Amino acid sequence: MAATTFDFGMIGLGTMGQNLSYNMADHGFSVAGYDKNPAKVAAFGKEADTGAVAGFGDIKEFIGALKSPKVIMMLVPAGPIVDAVINDVKPFLQSGDLLLDCGNSHFTDTDRRLQALEQEGLLYMGIGVSGGEEGARFGPSIMPGGSKKSYALVEKMLAAVAAKVNGEPCVAWLGNGSAGHYVKMVHNGIEYAIMQVIAESYHLLRTAQGLDNAALHRVYQDWNQGRLQSYLMQITADIFTQKDELGEGQLLDKIVDESAQNGTGKWTSQSAMDLFVPLSPIDTAVCSRDISSLKAEREQLAKNYAWAPPASQVAQEKFVADLEQAVYATSILAYSVGFSLLAKASSQYKLDLNLAVVARIWRGGCIIRSSFLEEIMKAFDTDPDLSSLLFDTQIATLINGAQLGWRSSVKAAVDAGVAVPVLSASLSYFDAMRCGRLPANLIQAQRDFFGAHTYKRTDREGIFHTNWPSTI
Ligand code: 6PG
């Protein structure tokens, strides 16, 4: 291919970068790819009939092969590598050229980079891309943030490569600055909570009801055909059928029970704490991954604190039906707190997010896609300023209908000695949120007692302090 003929550049030819490039090429956009690893450059475009793509190992040649204004996507690990790549390409860029960070960068890094590059006349966008390797290849959910001027340069291409739901692309301009990366971060926080609640239900079904993998497959497949339909439910059902290719039995039973993490769930909780948004299901999901990683300690303590649970008296059919309600209500809560965080961050950081649009672009392609997102979209279409999905009357009906099973499942887990941190933390969040008089009056009295921190009264205006009786 002749020089300066490629529509887009892709830096980072790992599976994600490669697949997204092939997806772009499938839709008629030519892509020049660059990677520091010569093997990846050599392999680029060789695997399949992938249209107009070509690999480059020299950064200057790579950038020289792009049409102007040059639009370059980066799909490299978040952190210092992004800054290093920016420094590598900057000398070859001109005013009006656009760099897109499509990785899971922290939103504050994106703001910093955007401001620095804009001062030099360059355009920059932080773009969340969800859907894993398959999504990148055949249609991810795409969450772009940055200036509208920048978005105009990529709008057509992003709409072409994104997943489609009812013919609508799962992409939309979300807002200025780091809006895209903020939304992607919260997407991942919700992802953590939903993955954890599914894992908790598996633990409970296996331990308290003795279900084997074949029976578990049937439960999750069944749930996935109902109102719990989601990508994560579907892959969970499939996981139970996977044979171990390296030995006897099922693969799942051979996988070490320590969950890893790249940090986006933790960032969601950290940001929520900065903004004073309670995020119990997500916080607890992050904490659960941390507990899982303490494998040696857990194995020791399992010996020290053995618990022989009474046999479950609940018939399996009822147990499964209750648990379906519990997983459903908890999943609603995971989305609900995530959207409440987005609402608060939007006003605090002036992101100007349209939450109905966020729900719309999460309906396809991304890891947390589910049929429930239709309900969320409707809720924000009805009231764009909802501070919590719990205020939506339709969602309230759904949660109320699931309360009994939710409570029964948490009780069953307590009896069985099975940890269900997200199921129970979500229920406690819900019970606290629907409580008009919490015991925080006692906290205020304690604070005033030991630190003269003052309190407000229920019966008169003003700030009060009491000389509490001395304890010494
Ligand atoms: C996605 C995913 C993805 C994320 C992985 C791993 O939307 O495609 O969220 O971006 O990196 O799920 O995340 P953890 O390693 O933190 O589990």
Side-chain angles (χ1 to χ4, degrees):
M1 203 171 264
T4 63
T5 55
F6 289 90
D7 298 317
F8 296 99
M10 174 68 71
I11 297 183
L13 301 179
T15 315
M16 288 294 289
Q18 181 185 279
N19 282 0
L20 197 57
S21 301
Y22 296 168
N23 185 352
M24 288 156 72
D26 284 348
H27 288 90
F29 302 97
S30 55
V31 185
Y34 169 82
D35 201 289
K36 284 199 161 145
N37 180 340
K40 285 188 180 157
V41 174
F44 189 56
K46 297 285 186 304
E47 295 81 357
D49 179 13
T50 46
V53 304
F56 291 79
D58 181 283
I59 194 93
K60 196 172 167 193
E61 276 177 31
F62 160 70
I63 296 174
L66 300 174
K67 288 176 188 166
S68 277
K70 298 178 191 303
V71 180
I72 302 176
M73 310 175 85
M74 298 181 282
L75 253 167
V76 297
I81 295 182
V82 177
D83 293 303
V85 170
I86 292 172
N87 284 336
D88 284 350
V89 297
K90 231 171 42 178
F92 306 105
L93 298 181
Q94 288 179 341
S95 179
D97 290 343
L98 169 64
L99 266 178
L100 313 165
D101 175 8
C102 299
N104 280 329
S105 288
H106 195 281
F107 71 99
T108 54
D109 283 337
T110 301
D111 278 325
R112 168 179 59 78
R113 289 165 185 147
L114 197 150
Q115 277 161 23
L117 289 167
E118 273 185 353
Q119 276 170 16
E120 301 184 44
L122 298 173
L123 301 174
Y124 192 78
M125 296 187 83
I127 302 194
V129 178
S130 177
E133 295 172 6
E134 206 176 295
R137 181 69 184 88
F138 300 109
S141 171
I142 306 178
M143 297 152 246
S147 70
K148 281 199 166 157
K149 182 180 172 191
S150 303
Y151 187 58
L153 294 176
V154 286
E155 184 171 6
K156 218 170 120 201
M157 180 274 287
L158 294 181
V161 302
K164 310 286 180 304
V165 172
N166 305 328
E168 282 180 81
C170 294
V171 59
W173 178 78
L174 293 180
N176 287 310
S178 57
H181 275 152
Y182 198 92
V183 170
K184 177 58 176 32
M185 177 188 77
V186 175
H187 165 284
N188 281 26
I190 297 170
E191 172 184 305
Y192 274 48
I194 294 178
M195 289 169 77
Q196 176 65 26
V197 76
I198 294 175
E200 290 172 13
S201 65
Y202 153 60
H203 193 183
L204 205 46
L205 288 168
R206 195 183 53 172
T207 311
Q209 287 284 324
L211 265 59
D212 63 12
N213 288 335
L216 287 161
H217 165 71
R218 286 193 294 276
V219 168
Y220 290 98
Q221 198 176 37
D222 196 35
W223 287 358
N224 190 46
Q225 276 154 13
R227 61 185 180 171
L228 274 173
Q229 188 286 321
S230 71
Y231 169 74
L232 285 168
M233 200 57 77
Q234 180 201 314
I235 65 165
T236 302
D238 293 347
I239 285 167
F240 290 109
T241 64
Q242 181 68 43
K243 300 258 178 298
D244 180 12
E245 287 168 357
L246 301 178
E248 293 293 302
Q250 306 282 122
L251 176 60
L252 183 61
D253 300 328
K254 309 273 180 67
I255 297 178
V256 176
D257 57 327
E258 290 179 78
S259 35
Q261 51 187 316
N262 281 326
T264 43
K266 181 186 73 178
W267 296 345
T268 311
S269 288
Q270 286 173 328
S271 176
M273 289 202 183
D274 287 342
L275 295 172
F276 301 101
V277 177
L279 215 66
S280 315
I282 295 174
D283 296 342
T284 315
V286 176
C287 190
S288 302
R289 290 203 187 188
D290 296 341
I291 292 178
S292 83
S293 71
L294 302 173
K295 173 88 172 154
E297 284 95 327
R298 287 191 286 114
E299 283 179 338
Q300 177 59 43
L301 293 171
K303 292 179 200 138
N304 299 358
Y305 294 98
W307 167 246
S312 171
Q313 299 302 317
V314 186
Q316 193 180 105
E317 205 177 322
K318 172 160 173 25
F319 195 97
V320 172
D322 284 346
L323 195 53
E324 188 270 347
Q325 295 190 355
V327 172
Y328 187 59
T330 303
S331 302
I332 295 177
L333 268 280
Y335 286 112
S336 176
V337 296
F339 274 93
S340 292
L341 174 58
L342 288 176
K344 186 74 181 284
S346 182
S347 65
Q348 189 78 15
Y349 300 137
K350 306 202 176 0
L351 301 177
D352 205 18
L353 296 174
N354 179 330
L355 298 183
V357 167
V358 173
R360 179 170 70 69
I361 67 171
W362 282 355
R363 287 177 309 156
C366 70
I367 303 295
I368 63 167
R369 62 187 185 260
S370 70
S371 54
F372 186 68
L373 280 155
E374 295 285 348
E375 299 295 337
I376 300 178
M377 214 173 78
K378 275 188 240 157
F380 285 114
D381 275 338
T382 308
D383 181 358
D385 297 322
L386 268 185
S387 62
S388 167
L389 286 171
L390 297 181
F391 290 112
D392 179 78
T393 49
Q394 175 58 19
I395 289 176
T397 306
L398 296 172
I399 295 179
N400 277 327
Q403 267 203 64
L404 206 56
W406 195 6
R407 294 184 191 283
S408 300
S409 294
V410 171
K411 277 187 251 175
V414 171
D415 285 344
V418 172
V420 286
V422 171
L423 276 176
S424 54
S426 303
L427 183 55
S428 287
Y429 168 92
F430 173 68
D431 281 337
M433 285 297 286
R434 55 169 207 86
C435 176
R437 176 128 175 108
L438 285 169
N441 51 332
L442 182 57
I443 307 279
Q444 285 299 81
Q446 290 164 337
R447 291 176 73 246
D448 193 56
F449 195 122
F450 62 65
H453 292 299
T454 73
Y455 55 87
K456 288 195 259 178
R457 295 181 57 102
T458 57
D459 56 352
R460 62 193 74 188
E461 290 296 309
I463 303 290
F464 295 85
H465 166 62
T466 295
N467 290 319
W468 301 88
S470 170
T471 50
I472 305 162

